[in-house]
Amino acid sequence: MHVVIPFAAKSPKTRLASVLDLNERREFAVAMLKDVLDIIKRTSHTLELLVGEQTSSLIKPYFEDTLPPIVAHDGTLSEAVNSRLDAQFDTVQPTGGVAVIMADLALLTVSAVNKLHTSDGDVVLAPGRGGGTNAFITRSSRFTVNYHGLSYQDHCEIAKKANLSFTTVDSMRLSTDIDEPDDLIEIRLHGDGYSHEWLKAHGFEIHSQTGRAAIIRRE
Amino acid sequence: MHVVIPFAAKSPKTRLASVLDLNERREFAVAMLKDVLDIIKRTSHTLELLVGEQTSSLIKPYFEDTLPPIVAHDGTLSEAVNSRLDAQFDTVQPTGGVAVIMADLALLTVSAVNKLHTSDGDVVLAPGRGGGTNAFITRSSRFTVNYHGLSYQDHCEIAKKANLSFTTVDSMRLSTDIDEPDDLIEIRLHGDGYSHEWLKAHGFEIHSQTGRAAIIRRE
């Protein structure tokens, strides 16, 4: 399959602003992106990074020589993804379909990508916490996206209206997107890549307490 | 395998106290328990409900004639579970091992239980959000539990020290425990059992907003 990874570097991860400044959020967002890229590179799937014009120049310094294939598009996230789905099905018709995987799935594993790839259905969705859509694969050109906080239900509806079979993949790793301070602990607990190292290097430690453990930042 | 489901009805789900009073928390906790019981009953596994003496009398009115097999134990959760693991391995030696599944996994499915059952390893762990242990199966009498907010890491250590092979199961449905108000939306989004109905009947609705969707209670 072909994997599209949308990424925006201009002001990423605004909901982490209470614990990270803009420069840190950029570094951290790139670290998570690198974790996702590393996983896709360990599979046989092709990939592209889908970015706005500004992001394209902003991320270059973080990658040195190893920049992945980049496609630039300056619309909204939904416009950009729909345009890439169209382009793929119109021209390449990729074997196995087109997947769109968010760049903040810092716990992604090869096995989680395979779950998406091997699940039956015209459309396979991986919901995120709170009703977002963290990843999906479509094997039909008739599926389109409409991203927003509660997009999972809409994407089920879009598939249904287009008369496409759809299913959901059950994966903690695909369901864990990193948007809010409370999410960071999952990377410290279960991650082992760039974003895990970044959090460690920037003083984020697991703090045991009554109820769920929390993450705190050392001064 | 044999499935142990610990349950406490005296003052359940205290972290939901900002949105549910004691009586509601009891009803809701029982609704989630019934969802879990229904799933286990659809498998070939045996089950027991592990409760304190007080819970035993408290839950009877909720079940009428269909009360599941109950074992009473008045220690802490860890003491009670360790005692039941000992009892199972000492006497019954159940084929396929002993699983302990928390009663608040309201999104449990037969397929998620099967993931636990079919994963290789002396011990298979399903971590919860924030480092808890939502479910596990042990095929060795040498594994013991020590439950607390950050128990997942401890349980990995306990398995390691006992020279047991252990692995983690990747399931959104096993990783979603319902402890805090923000968790309730997952039931409204992905549930279809008693707890889903209970939340609907008690005015809990999905509210779309910037970022993750929230749940609100109608007056």
Side-chain angles (χ1 to χ4, degrees):
Chain A
M1 66 185 181
H2 181 68
V3 179
V4 177
I5 304 168
F7 186 70
K10 205 181 151 199
S11 178
K13 296 292 148 201
T14 48
R15 281 182 282 156
L16 291 175
S18 62
V19 293
L20 298 175
D21 66 30
L22 174 60
N23 187 46
E24 289 175 327
R25 296 205 308 277
R26 259 191 207 144
E27 281 184 16
F28 178 62
V30 169
M32 293 199 289
L33 170 65
K34 285 184 173 181
D35 286 336
V36 171
L37 290 170
D38 265 17
I39 293 299
I40 307 300
K41 283 177 192 161
R42 287 166 54 195
T43 68
S44 60
H45 309 303
T46 53
L47 76 86
E48 69 181 54
L49 200 54
L50 177 59
V51 301
E53 294 290 353
Q54 277 193 295
T55 293
S56 186
S57 53
L58 275 170
I59 62 170
K60 270 176 192 153
Y62 296 103
F63 277 89
E64 299 167 5
D65 305 335
T66 59
L67 206 65
I70 286 188
V71 175
H73 189 290
D74 262 342
T76 64
L77 173 61
S78 299
E79 286 164 358
V81 167
N82 285 329
S83 146
R84 292 309 297 156
L85 293 178
D86 278 349
Q88 283 287 322
F89 283 106
D90 280 354
T91 59
V92 189
Q93 299 181 316
T95 329
V98 183
V100 177
I101 297 181
M102 290 298 136
D104 64 349
L105 302 191
L107 301 185
L108 195 68
T109 56
V110 170
S111 132
V113 175
N114 282 343
K115 277 187 188 182
L116 203 62
H117 178 58
T118 58
S119 294
D120 290 334
D122 296 323
V123 176
V124 182
L125 297 162
R129 192 166 165 85
T133 306
N134 284 358
F136 70 86
I137 175 171
T138 176
R139 288 142 186 155
S140 162
S141 61
R142 301 205 311 280
F143 183 68
T144 57
V145 297
N146 175 15
Y147 282 109
H148 57 104
L150 192 61
S151 62
Y152 169 69
Q153 290 186 326
D154 281 1
H155 289 149
C156 293
E157 277 305 308
I158 290 168
K160 217 179 284 177
K161 278 186 187 154
N163 231 342
L164 300 170
S165 65
F166 66 97
T167 179
T168 297
V169 63
D170 175 27
S171 164
M172 180 272 269
R173 289 178 176 272
L174 289 172
S175 73
T176 306
D177 48 337
I178 307 296
D179 282 319
E180 302 182 357
D182 277 356
D183 303 331
L184 297 175
I185 191 170
E186 303 303 325
I187 298 184
R188 285 295 270 118
L189 284 165
H190 306 292
D192 62 359
Y194 293 101
S195 54
H196 182 257
E197 284 311 303
W198 194 94
L199 288 176
K200 259 175 83 175
H202 290 78
F204 286 88
E205 300 293 345
I206 294 168
H207 173 65
S208 187
Q209 59 182 15
T210 312
R212 285 175 186 152
I215 203 158
I216 51 166
R217 189 170 191 176
R218 273 191 285 102
E219 290 302 311
Chain B
M1 66 186 180
H2 181 67
V3 179
V4 177
I5 303 167
F7 185 72
K10 205 182 151 200
S11 178
K13 296 290 147 200
T14 48
R15 281 183 281 155
L16 291 176
S18 62
V19 292
L20 298 175
D21 67 30
L22 174 60
N23 186 47
E24 288 174 328
R25 295 204 308 277
R26 259 191 208 144
E27 280 183 15
F28 178 62
V30 169
M32 293 199 289
L33 170 64
K34 285 183 174 180
D35 285 335
V36 171
L37 290 170
D38 265 15
I39 293 298
I40 307 300
K41 283 177 195 160
R42 286 166 52 194
T43 69
S44 60
H45 309 303
T46 54
L47 77 86
E48 68 180 55
L49 199 55
L50 177 58
V51 301
E53 294 289 353
Q54 277 191 296
T55 294
S56 185
S57 53
L58 276 170
I59 62 171
K60 271 175 192 155
Y62 296 102
F63 278 88
E64 299 168 3
D65 305 335
T66 59
L67 206 63
I70 286 188
V71 175
H73 189 290
D74 262 342
T76 64
L77 174 60
S78 299
E79 287 164 357
V81 167
N82 284 329
S83 145
R84 293 309 297 155
L85 292 177
D86 279 349
Q88 284 288 321
F89 283 106
D90 281 354
T91 58
V92 188
Q93 299 179 318
T95 328
V98 183
V100 177
I101 297 180
M102 290 299 136
D104 63 350
L105 303 191
L107 302 184
L108 195 67
T109 56
V110 169
S111 132
V113 175
N114 282 344
K115 278 188 188 183
L116 202 63
H117 178 57
T118 58
S119 294
D120 289 335
D122 296 323
V123 177
V124 181
L125 297 163
R129 192 167 166 82
T133 306
N134 283 359
F136 70 86
I137 175 170
T138 176
R139 287 141 186 156
S140 163
S141 61
R142 301 206 310 281
F143 182 70
T144 56
V145 297
N146 176 17
Y147 281 108
H148 57 103
L150 193 61
S151 63
Y152 169 69
Q153 290 186 327
D154 281 2
H155 288 149
C156 292
E157 277 306 307
I158 290 168
K160 217 181 280 179
K161 278 187 186 153
N163 231 342
L164 299 169
S165 64
F166 66 96
T167 182
T168 297
V169 64
D170 175 28
S171 163
M172 180 272 267
R173 289 178 175 272
L174 288 172
S175 73
T176 305
D177 49 337
I178 306 296
D179 282 321
E180 303 182 355
D182 277 355
D183 303 331
L184 297 175
I185 190 171
E186 303 303 323
I187 298 183
R188 285 294 271 118
L189 283 165
H190 306 291
D192 62 359
Y194 293 101
S195 54
H196 182 258
E197 285 310 304
W198 193 94
L199 287 177
K200 260 175 80 174
H202 289 78
F204 286 88
E205 299 294 345
I206 294 170
H207 173 64
S208 188
Q209 58 181 17
T210 311
R212 285 175 185 152
I215 201 157
I216 49 166
R217 189 170 189 175
R218 273 191 283 101
E219 290 302 310

